Amino acid sequence: MTAALRDPRLLAGLGVLAAAWLGPLPAMVGDSFTAHMLLHMLVVAIAAPLLAAALAPRLEGRAIAGRMLPLALLASLLDFFVIWGWHLPLLHEATRTSGWVLAVEQAAFLAVGLFVWLTALAAPAAAAQSAALAGAGALFFTSMHMTLLGVLLGLAQTPICRTWSANGPLFGLSILEDQQVGGTIMLAIGGSVYLAGGLVLVARVLRLPGGDLTERQP
């Protein structure tokens, strides 16, 4: 455990969370969908993979690490329902107007983000190929649904949040433009990071003994 606490990836992940949650973004959420999405992406696409990379080696060899396929499926489905659920108009508006609801949302984002990345990265040596492929599948699925949600938010002609402070949206944007920028951020950061993680895991499989999928014998 002491070694884990000294892991630079763990320290970096905690630093990103501190910057996200203790910095200016939470106070800007009520006025800006863009700020809300930046906060979301810092948690699930930057902090979560860093924390998971530091913690995953501690799961190798444990019984839970031998069941990566069902865990990866469960993690990806939970992630889908949590992310899409919190972007439903009623719940999303509550996060923009209530500090404790925003805190619950952020905790849920971190939990499912860690779950997905841990199942993707904690591949046991005894089943490294199948575990890595299961993890890659979870990351690819997450990349796809984040990309789809980002596109829908970016192309929507109706804002999903209709309650604003007296200041209105920040950065000189209209309400709809603010949402479109936020959707683009999800598409560019969330979709890209999870896609890259999945590709890295597939590359890991191809480097394993017998992992060259192009040279299978009939």
Side-chain angles (χ1 to χ4, degrees):
M1 178 60 71
T2 303
L5 293 176
R6 292 197 300 265
D7 192 311
R9 295 169 297 185
L10 180 66
L11 297 177
L14 293 175
V16 171
L17 285 180
W21 289 342
L22 301 178
L25 287 176
M28 298 166 64
V29 163
D31 297 322
S32 174
F33 186 90
T34 298
H36 187 276
M37 189 59 71
L38 284 172
L39 186 63
H40 180 187
M41 291 300 102
L42 284 172
V43 171
V44 303
I46 308 298
L50 285 170
L51 295 173
L55 297 174
R58 278 74 191 173
L59 296 179
E60 291 182 5
R62 297 175 182 262
I64 192 173
R67 295 190 286 271
M68 282 301 163
L69 181 57
L71 284 175
L73 177 61
L74 176 61
S76 58
L77 289 176
L78 279 176
D79 184 82
F80 171 80
F81 285 114
V82 167
I83 289 179
W84 282 70
W86 279 107
H87 285 88
L88 293 174
L90 183 62
L91 283 178
H92 178 77
E93 187 165 326
T95 68
R96 306 279 291 277
T97 56
S98 170
W100 75 265
V101 177
L102 177 64
V104 171
E105 178 209 48
Q106 291 298 303
F109 283 163
L110 179 60
V112 295
L114 271 176
F115 192 11
V116 170
W117 283 102
L118 281 172
T119 57
L121 299 178
Q129 182 171 329
S130 60
L133 287 175
L139 293 180
F140 285 144
F141 177 72
T142 305
S143 172
M144 287 189 292
H145 79 70
M146 277 194 177
T147 298
L148 177 59
L149 182 56
V151 169
L152 291 176
L153 291 170
L155 296 180
Q157 297 303 305
T158 302
I160 64 173
C161 182
R162 298 174 183 273
T163 300
W164 300 89
S165 71
N167 297 325
L170 301 178
F171 313 117
L173 301 172
S174 69
I175 294 176
L176 194 56
E177 288 170 342
D178 184 38
Q179 178 176 300
Q180 291 168 344
V181 172
T184 302
I185 289 172
M186 172 176 271
L187 171 65
I189 299 178
S192 298
V193 169
Y194 281 80
L195 175 61
L199 292 174
V200 168
L201 289 180
V202 171
R204 177 188 297 178
V205 170
L206 295 178
R207 290 196 299 268
L208 292 171
D212 190 344
L213 304 179
T214 64
E215 296 183 1
R216 298 295 188 190
Q217 297 298 321

